Amino acid sequence: MEVSEITYLQAIHDAIDEELARDDKVFVFGEDIRQWGAPLGEMKGLFKKYGPNRVLDTPISETAMIGAAIGSAATGLRPVVQIMFAEFLSVCWSDIFNAMCKPRYMSGGKIMFPVTILSYCGAGISAAGEHSGCLDGMEMSIPGLKIVAPSTPYDAKGLIKSAIREDNPVQVFYHKKLILGGLKGEVPEKEYTIPLGKADVKRRGSDVTVVATMLMAHRALAAAEKLKARGIDIEVIDPRSLAPLDKETIFKSLEKTGKLVIMVEEPKAGSSASEIAAVVAEEAFDLLKAPIKRVCAPDTAIPFTPALEKVWMPDEDNLIKAVTEIM
Amino acid sequence: MKIEKEKLLWMYRTMVQIRVFEERIGSEFAAGKIPGFVHLSSGQEANAVGVCANLRIDDYITSNHRGHGHLIAKGLPLDTMTAEIFGKKTGVNKGKAGSQHLTDMAVGCLGAEGIQGTPVPVAVGAALSAKLRGSDQVAVAFIGDGTLNTGRFHEGLNLAAAWKLPFICYCENNTWAESTNIYDVTALTDISQRAMGYGIPGVAVDGNDVFAVYEAVHEAVARAKKGEGPTFIEGRTCRRHGHFEGDGHLYRSQEDKDECLKKDPIPRFRKKLIEMGTMTEAEADQIEREVKEEMEKAVKFAEESPFPEPEEVYTDEFA
C-alpha cells in the first residue's frame, strides 16, 4: 500500500477537503475560516477552493452556530461546524445537549442531525484555564452524541471522514499540542475511513492494560519504553472513539493482563477515565487482578504558567507510578 | 389584500380547530387524562394561522412550549397530536415528545423547543440550508415575548441578517412570560424596534387580527424569497389561559383578563367573513360542528390507543 508521511494538521485538513469534494451536501463554518483557515490552520485554502457557499465565516455566536448546524442538518445538508476551543462548547451546551442530541429520540425517529462539531482540546501551550481543556467525560454523559478523539494523523483522517458521513451528531476533538508539535505519521495515499467505535491497540504488551487518548496515548507509549527497561510490558489501547466505546477491545486485553490503568487529560471527577473504569468494574470485574487506576489531572482549573501547567498535566512519571503500584 | 375564498375558509377552520383543540386538551388535562403539563395557546390563533397561511408544506417552522396552534396550522393532524399529548404509541412522536416537543419533518416542523430562544437559531439553520441548496423555501421561528431577552434571539437574528437568509422571526407578544410582564423586564415598549439593531425590517401588527398578521407575513415571505433577508414581526396578542394548565394567573388584573376575552380573534374573523360574503352563519356553524366532531374522534383515538411497549424506551436514539 502506498503511504505518505503527513502531519496531524494536514490529516485533519485532508479529511475535510476530501469530504467537501466528495459530497456537495457537506459544508463547513466557523470563526476565522476565511482568512486563517481556522485559528490553527486546519482549513487553510478551503475557502478559496470551495467558495462562500461551502465554507462560511461566522460571527462569535456559538449558540447560533450550533442552531444553524441543527437546522441545516435536519433539512438535508451535512454541516461541519468548528467550535474553536473545547471550553467554548459550554457556551452552546444547551444547544448541543437539548436541541441537537435529544430530538432524534424525542421525535420517535422523525428527524436526524448529521452534524460534525470540530474542537481543539488539550493543554501544554500555556493557553490558561479557558483554552486548554478536554471535555471528553462531560460529553460522554450526553446521550445521542458520538465522540472521537484521534491521536495520530492516520486516525484523525479516517475518523473525521467517518464523522462527516455519520447520520448522527459527532463531536471531534483534536489536540492542540499534537497540531502545534507538528506530529507526523503515515497515512495511505488511497482513500480510507475508520469506523467509529473501534479502538486501536497502539502497543502490544502482557502485564498491564493502559487505556489512553490523544496526547496521553503518546505519553503512554513513551512510558512503555521506560517500563520495559524495568521488565514491565504494558499494552496501550487508544479507544479513538469515546462514544461509542469499544469495550470488547479493552476486555480482551484485560483477559491477558488483568490490570487496568486509564490515562486521560481531564480532571479526574467525571472524566472519560471514570466512565471507562465504571464500565470495566461493572462488566468485567472478574477479569481484574488489581484495582483500576486512573491517571488524570487534578480537580482544578488549568494553570497558566508552564511551571504549574506541566505539573497539572498527567505525564509519563504519573503513569509509571500507577503501573508499578499494581504490579 | 385579496385572499382567495378557499384560503379564507381554511384559515377560519384552522383557527377554530386550534381553539377547540386547546380547550379540549385543557379539559382532558383537568380530568387527569394527560401526564405532565400543557401550555395552551387559546386567544393567539390568529398568529399561528396568519403566519402558516403564507407557508407551503415544505417551508419550515420551529415552535415553542406554547406550540400546538403552530403545528395544527402547519398541518399536523389532530388525532396523532392528541395521542402524542396523551403519551400514546400512536402519537406523532410515539409518546416520547409530549406537548412540548412535537416534531414532524413531513410537514416541515423541525420541532417545538422547551428551551427559550432555541427556535430562533434552529430555524435560521433551516433558512441557511434553503439558501445554500438554492431552494425558495422559507423558515419561520415562532417565539414568545419571554424569548426576547435570551442570547439565542440576538445571535440568531444577527446571523440571519448578516447572511440575508429567508427567515422570519415571529414573536407572539402576549405580554406574559410565565408570570412576568414583558414591560417589567424590558425598557423598550415598541418591541418591533428590536429589529433596528440587526438592520432588518421590524413590524408590529395586531396579533388578534388574522388579516393583519397574514399581510405582514406575506410581505416578509416575499422579501425572503427575493433574497432580501429576514424580517422580525411582533404580533400583539393575549393569552386566555395561565402559563400552564393549573396556573390560575392570579398575577394578572381582572381588567387584563377581561380585555383579553374581548379581543378574541375568532368571533372577529367570523363576523368579517360573513360581512364579506365568504361564508354564511350556517356555514360557520357547520365548520364549528365539523371541527368539534373531528376533535371528539381525535380524543377517542388517543384514549383507545395503547401506550408504547416498554422496549420502546431503547429505540430511536440514533439514525
Side-chain angles (χ1 to χ4, degrees), chain A residues 27 29 52-54 56-65 67-72 74-77 91-92 94-95 98-99 101 103-113 143-146 166-169, chain B residues 60 84 91-98 101 103-106 109-113 115 118 121-133 151-152 155-156 158-159 162-163 312-319:
Chain A
F27 73 108
F29 60 106
N53 279 345
R54 305 290 303 284
L56 288 75
D57 251 353
T58 68
I60 303 170
S61 292
E62 285 83 359
T63 68
M65 289 156 70
I70 293 166
S72 57
T75 56
L77 297 181
V91 176
C92 45
S94 170
D95 307 273
N98 289 302
C101 294
R104 168 79 199 166
Y105 179 88
M106 291 200 298
S107 69
K110 289 219 161 158
I111 198 163
M112 72 175 193
F113 304 116
L145 181 64
K146 300 191 176 186
E166 170 71 32
D167 284 338
N168 297 288
Chain B
Y60 302 114
E84 182 62 34
V92 59
N93 303 120
K94 302 185 191 171
K96 291 179 177 177
H101 304 292
T103 300
D104 194 354
M105 288 306 289
C109 294
L110 273 81
E113 307 277 356
I115 306 284
T118 309
V122 173
V124 168
L128 170 65
S129 161
K131 184 178 178 182
L132 294 181
R133 286 183 284 108
R152 287 177 185 85
E155 289 195 8
N158 178 65
L159 196 64
W163 287 349
E312 270 294 324
V313 83
Y314 302 108
T315 64
D316 301 318
E317 182 65 0
F318 289 106

Side-chain angles (χ1 to χ4, degrees), chain A:
Chain A
M1 186 168 56
E2 295 292 320
V3 295
S4 56
E5 191 172 65
I6 62 170
T7 62
Y8 186 75
L9 182 74
Q10 188 69 40
I12 298 166
H13 171 279
D14 291 355
I16 300 166
D17 186 5
E18 288 180 15
E19 292 307 300
L20 279 166
R22 177 182 172 270
D23 182 354
D24 62 11
K25 292 192 176 69
V26 175
F27 73 108
V28 299
F29 60 106
E31 296 161 35
D32 304 312
I33 291 181
R34 186 174 176 161
Q35 298 291 339
W36 292 351
L40 298 186
E42 73 272 27
M43 298 185 202
K44 204 161 254 173
L46 297 183
F47 178 79
K48 207 172 163 196
K49 186 168 176 185
Y50 295 99
N53 279 345
R54 305 290 303 284
V55 180
L56 288 75
D57 251 353
T58 68
I60 303 170
S61 292
E62 285 83 359
T63 68
M65 289 156 70
I66 294 296
I70 293 166
S72 57
T75 56
L77 297 181
R78 307 187 77 84
V80 177
V81 53
Q82 211 244 16
I83 300 287
M84 212 184 281
F85 293 98
E87 283 91 342
F88 299 0
L89 294 164
S90 64
V91 176
C92 45
W93 203 249
S94 170
D95 307 273
I96 295 171
F97 179 57
N98 289 302
M100 189 164 79
C101 294
K102 289 180 181 173
R104 168 79 199 166
Y105 179 88
M106 291 200 298
S107 69
K110 289 219 161 158
I111 198 163
M112 72 175 193
F113 304 116
V115 177
T116 304
I117 307 175
L118 307 173
S119 305
Y120 305 127
C121 69
I125 60 163
S126 280
E130 294 175 355
H131 296 70
S132 299
C134 289
L135 269 60
D136 314 25
M138 288 174 82
E139 288 208 339
M140 282 176 87
S141 67
I142 303 180
L145 181 64
K146 300 191 176 186
I147 307 163
V148 299
S151 68
T152 66
Y154 176 82
D155 292 348
K157 187 173 176 189
L159 287 167
I160 291 170
K161 284 170 71 75
S162 292
I164 295 172
R165 295 181 194 186
E166 170 71 32
D167 284 338
N168 297 288
V170 184
Q171 169 78 56
V172 176
F173 288 118
Y174 30 73
H175 200 288
K176 294 192 284 292
K177 188 93 172 149
L178 299 179
I179 292 177
L180 297 170
L183 174 73
K184 284 187 173 174
E186 286 186 343
V187 301
E189 299 258 335
K190 213 170 157 245
E191 187 179 41
Y192 70 101
T193 58
I194 298 172
L196 306 185
K198 194 84 196 78
D200 186 39
V201 180
K202 297 290 187 198
R203 182 187 192 277
R204 297 269 167 205
S206 54
D207 295 329
V208 176
T209 300
V210 174
V211 173
T213 52
M214 287 193 282
L215 181 64
M216 297 299 109
H218 293 272
R219 293 191 171 178
L221 289 170
E225 294 311 309
K226 293 182 184 169
L227 285 162
K228 193 177 160 195
R230 298 191 201 178
I232 301 169
D233 187 22
I234 65 170
E235 178 145 305
V236 178
I237 295 175
D238 179 353
R240 303 194 293 192
S241 299
L242 289 159
L245 182 68
D246 180 0
K247 298 187 270 191
E248 294 314 311
T249 297
I250 298 171
F251 296 167
K252 210 168 150 214
S253 175
L254 288 172
E255 282 171 15
K256 182 168 56 177
T257 65
K259 291 171 181 156
L260 176 63
V261 180
I262 309 154
M263 183 182 196
V264 301
E265 193 186 317
E266 299 158 70
K268 189 179 278 185
S271 63
S272 55
S274 300
E275 176 59 19
I276 295 168
V279 166
V280 171
E282 188 171 64
E283 297 180 33
F285 188 74
D286 292 346
L287 300 176
L288 294 172
K289 293 181 218 152
I292 299 168
K293 288 276 184 189
R294 289 174 296 163
V295 176
C296 300
D299 289 331
T300 67
I302 303 169
F304 158 70
T305 174
L308 296 178
E309 186 188 36
K310 187 176 179 308
V311 180
W312 187 89
M313 292 176 77
D315 63 11
E316 292 160 38
D317 291 341
N318 300 141
L319 179 61
I320 290 167
K321 182 168 177 283
V323 167
T324 48
E325 276 171 9
I326 54 170
M327 279 308 292

